[in-house]
Amino acid sequence: MTKPLHHLSASALSKAFIEGEVSAVDIAHYFFKRIERYDKELGSFLSVLEERTLERAKALDRKRSKNKPLGKLSAIPIAIKDNMHIAGELTTCASKFLKNYRALFSATAVRLLEEEDALLIGKTNLDELSMGSSNENSAFYPVKNPWDPKRVPGGSSGGSAAAVSARLALISTGSDTGGSIRQPASFCGIVGFKPTYGRVSRHGLVAFGSSLDQIGPFTTTVEDAALAMEVMGRHCPHDAMSLDLPGEPYLDLLTKDLKEIRFGVPWNFLKSLKPEIRTNFLQSLDVLKSLGAKIVDADLDICKYSIAVYYILATAEASTNLARLDSVRYGARSLSAKTMEEVYKLSREEGLGREVKKRIMLGTYVLSTGYQDAFYKRAQKVRTLLINAFEQAFCHCDAIALPVAPSSAFELNSIADPLEMYLQDIFTVPANLAGLPAISVPSGFDSAQMPLGLQLIGPQMHDVLVMQYAYAFEAATSFGQKIPPAYEVGL
Ligand code: GLN
């Protein structure tokens, strides 16, 4: 092996294992050592599954020595966001309320990864119950950005993004309700993909906003994202909204000429972009043009309402979903609770963080009698208009191009105003509201040497196309190949 293991893509590492250049046990030890060395500072993991993984790695080595068929993800170290179940392990959702909750079954996406011989090395940190854009809402500890420890990794899947960016895992899973895969991918300089709603099963994912939630991968290359999607993008009878379609051959279809492909840009929606974000975005469009693509105007003015709509619908759904966290069926019970009433009240008061409480209250309010028509129903109507606007836009273009976030990674504790934090999602939320596939692919660095991302959004079900466009963009730029300097060295 000429390169250290963490400099390889997931696909390359798996190939090296299959060809007998390295054993699964050595791979597991290598990445656990990296976690031990770096993660105290980084904070990207909440738990590390060393014993479990080593047993699986040994079994995988035996399988290889007996020449049995090996899975598509053989020996790839994969980290799982701690809001997805691995049977028998903790699923804390970075909440004190669930700090002792052990999963009874594995999430479908997790099970599919493991069936293809991936090594599930640990559970990653997040904003409590996936609510946030910076990972500062974790009840345990914040995650640092591998490019600059003073800055946030983005959220809510910040632990998953930081772990892959620092090469403590080569793939991780995230969940994206309003941007939680794409924004942290962009902040950490890696690839993040949110599939079409329903493409990856939500069974075993702790629900936040059920009509918006989608599981997807973080990777260092688009090819690895395609590989992960081939495995996770399957129909599942346990998720009522799971698309009953055959899995797609993402890898076989990855290469595509961008000649005559039309990328729609909603310029009106981008009026107040910060200069550095605008410059980088224009440069990205130039790259697409140099590959033969055309840039056309897209009318998506309706997107200016998307944050308002999202924070009504997502909180409404969250308040309903989280009603089951009652300390009877789920969750830690307050030691001072004496009556039934106190069990509910005190347990929630002590167990849940500020942001989660705020959202439960907001969601309950917008659903309450008298306000439901003014807020919830109205927001649903605007959501329909937004879906229609995207449908219209896709009559004139093949995909939409947008920045991922209005800024690069910001400093820890630097955003106190909740509205400013919510506006982090302005460019990512529309794809969730319309259920569209969207990718964040590294597009360069700003003057502070922090990574930036380009977002490409496709029509529903066209996940493969989105992947193809990103693959062509990546091949022409390859910003994602850069490893944060502090994590570049070997063990
Ligand atoms: N930042 C958004 C929120 O706080 C999105 C979160 C997510 O996608 N899970 O709601």
Side-chain angles (χ1 to χ4, degrees):
M1 193 88 54
T2 48
K3 280 186 186 172
L5 298 183
H6 67 285
H7 282 230
L8 300 176
S9 68
S11 318
L13 179 68
S14 191
K15 191 161 168 262
F17 164 74
I18 289 170
E19 289 173 358
E21 285 177 51
V22 59
S23 73
V25 168
D26 285 347
I27 293 175
H29 280 308
Y30 185 91
F31 283 90
F32 284 128
K33 274 202 196 121
R34 278 185 70 77
I35 293 171
E36 197 183 309
R37 169 159 174 192
Y38 293 111
D39 208 49
K40 271 188 203 76
E41 150 107 39
L42 199 60
S44 67
F45 282 88
L46 289 177
S47 52
V48 176
L49 308 176
E50 201 158 346
E51 223 175 281
R52 182 184 193 277
T53 301
L54 284 171
E55 245 164 60
R56 301 222 168 211
K58 278 183 207 150
L60 191 52
D61 285 335
R62 280 197 298 273
K63 200 167 160 183
R64 186 182 64 178
S65 67
K66 288 185 188 147
N67 286 326
K68 288 200 179 146
L70 297 167
K72 283 186 184 169
L73 302 174
S74 282
I76 300 176
I78 300 190
I80 305 294
K81 184 175 180 180
D82 203 17
N83 63 351
M84 292 167 210
H85 297 326
I86 300 181
E89 305 299 335
L90 293 172
T91 304
T92 70
C93 295
S95 178
K96 277 195 260 168
F97 206 80
L98 292 171
K99 66 177 189 291
N100 296 320
Y101 180 75
R102 270 188 200 276
L104 300 174
F105 63 95
S106 287
T108 300
V110 167
R111 175 177 58 75
L112 291 170
L113 294 174
E114 205 155 48
E115 280 173 7
E116 291 294 339
D117 291 332
L119 300 176
L120 307 183
I121 57 173
K123 307 289 298 283
T124 55
N125 206 347
L126 63 150
D127 284 303
E128 181 175 11
L129 289 154
S130 311
M131 296 176 183
S133 302
S134 65
N135 238 275
E136 293 162 302
N137 297 339
S138 166
F140 303 125
Y141 37 87
V143 183
K144 313 281 170 54
N145 190 306
W147 292 91
D148 176 355
K150 291 192 298 303
R151 295 178 193 251
V152 304
S156 64
S157 319
S160 283
V164 169
S165 170
R167 287 9 181 217
L168 305 185
L170 294 187
I171 297 180
S172 61
T173 60
S175 59
D176 191 314
T177 306
S180 280
I181 293 177
R182 289 158 289 156
Q183 184 251 22
S186 156
F187 279 17
C188 292
I190 57 172
V191 175
F193 181 63
K194 181 200 95 68
T196 294
Y197 180 75
R199 179 70 79 186
V200 177
S201 168
R202 290 171 299 118
H203 179 62
L205 165 72
V206 177
F208 168 7
S210 309
S211 77
L212 304 153
D213 297 340
Q214 252 308 278
I215 292 177
F218 287 100
T219 55
T220 61
T221 65
V222 176
E223 184 190 8
D224 285 351
L227 174 66
M229 278 307 296
E230 268 200 25
V231 173
M232 294 196 293
R234 302 261 155 204
H235 172 65
C236 163
H238 301 299
D239 173 355
M241 300 308 283
S242 167
L243 292 170
D244 196 356
L245 296 171
E248 290 181 292
Y250 292 83
L251 286 169
D252 289 347
L253 300 174
L254 214 44
T255 317
K256 166 142 179 133
D257 192 344
L258 291 196
K259 261 193 203 86
E260 304 303 320
I261 300 293
R262 297 154 306 167
F263 288 95
V265 178
W267 292 109
N268 264 346
F269 183 46
L270 298 177
K271 269 192 209 130
S272 48
L273 274 189
K274 285 189 183 158
E276 283 207 75
I277 303 291
R278 175 178 295 276
T279 308
N280 182 267
F281 180 60
L282 294 178
Q283 283 164 352
S284 300
L285 295 183
D286 284 342
V287 172
L288 295 173
K289 278 193 257 177
S290 73
L291 296 170
K294 289 199 164 61
I295 306 300
V296 300
D297 290 350
D299 177 5
L300 289 171
D301 288 359
I302 186 97
C303 284
K304 62 177 179 246
Y305 300 119
S306 56
I307 288 294
V309 169
Y310 171 81
Y311 275 93
I312 292 172
L313 298 182
T315 56
E317 293 183 20
S319 73
T320 314
N321 279 325
L322 298 185
R324 80 193 128 169
L325 298 191
D326 58 4
S327 314
V328 179
R329 288 166 294 178
Y330 299 99
R333 187 173 298 183
S334 164
L335 294 175
S336 6
K338 297 205 175 57
T339 64
M340 189 65 196
E341 177 94 6
E342 281 175 1
V343 167
Y344 290 127
K345 264 198 175 155
L346 295 177
S347 305
R348 285 184 153 220
E349 188 174 322
E350 291 163 20
L352 297 174
R354 263 182 85 83
E355 186 63 29
V356 175
K357 285 180 189 151
K358 194 162 72 189
R359 297 210 191 185
I360 292 175
M361 284 194 279
L362 194 59
T364 309
Y365 178 77
V366 299
L367 287 175
S368 59
T369 320
Y371 292 105
Q372 205 179 78
D373 286 346
F375 295 112
Y376 182 73
K377 288 199 181 144
R378 206 160 182 194
Q380 288 288 24
K381 287 182 187 162
V382 181
R383 182 180 192 175
T384 303
L385 294 178
L386 187 127
I387 293 170
N388 294 345
F390 270 105
E391 245 168 51
Q392 277 299 315
F394 286 128
C395 296
H396 310 288
C397 64
D398 301 287
I400 303 291
L402 278 175
V404 179
S407 71
S408 64
F410 44 88
E411 295 200 352
L412 277 145
N413 305 317
S414 66
I415 301 189
D417 174 12
L419 276 186
E420 194 185 336
M421 189 66 95
Y422 291 176
L423 283 171
Q424 271 301 314
D425 304 322
I426 179 96
F427 300 132
T428 46
V429 152
N432 299 83
L433 290 170
L436 307 172
I439 200 163
S440 168
V441 56
S443 66
F445 296 85
D446 67 5
S447 53
Q449 289 314 305
M450 294 308 290
L452 297 169
L454 169 70
Q455 182 182 200
L456 300 173
I457 306 175
Q460 269 193 2
M461 321 291 176
H462 288 78
D463 305 49
V464 166
L465 291 185
V466 172
M467 210 71 97
Q468 288 171 342
Y469 304 150
Y471 186 68
F473 179 83
E474 177 190 61
T477 54
S478 67
F479 294 114
Q481 300 312 308
K482 261 189 103 181
I483 301 178
Y487 300 90
E488 223 178 329
V489 289
L491 285 168

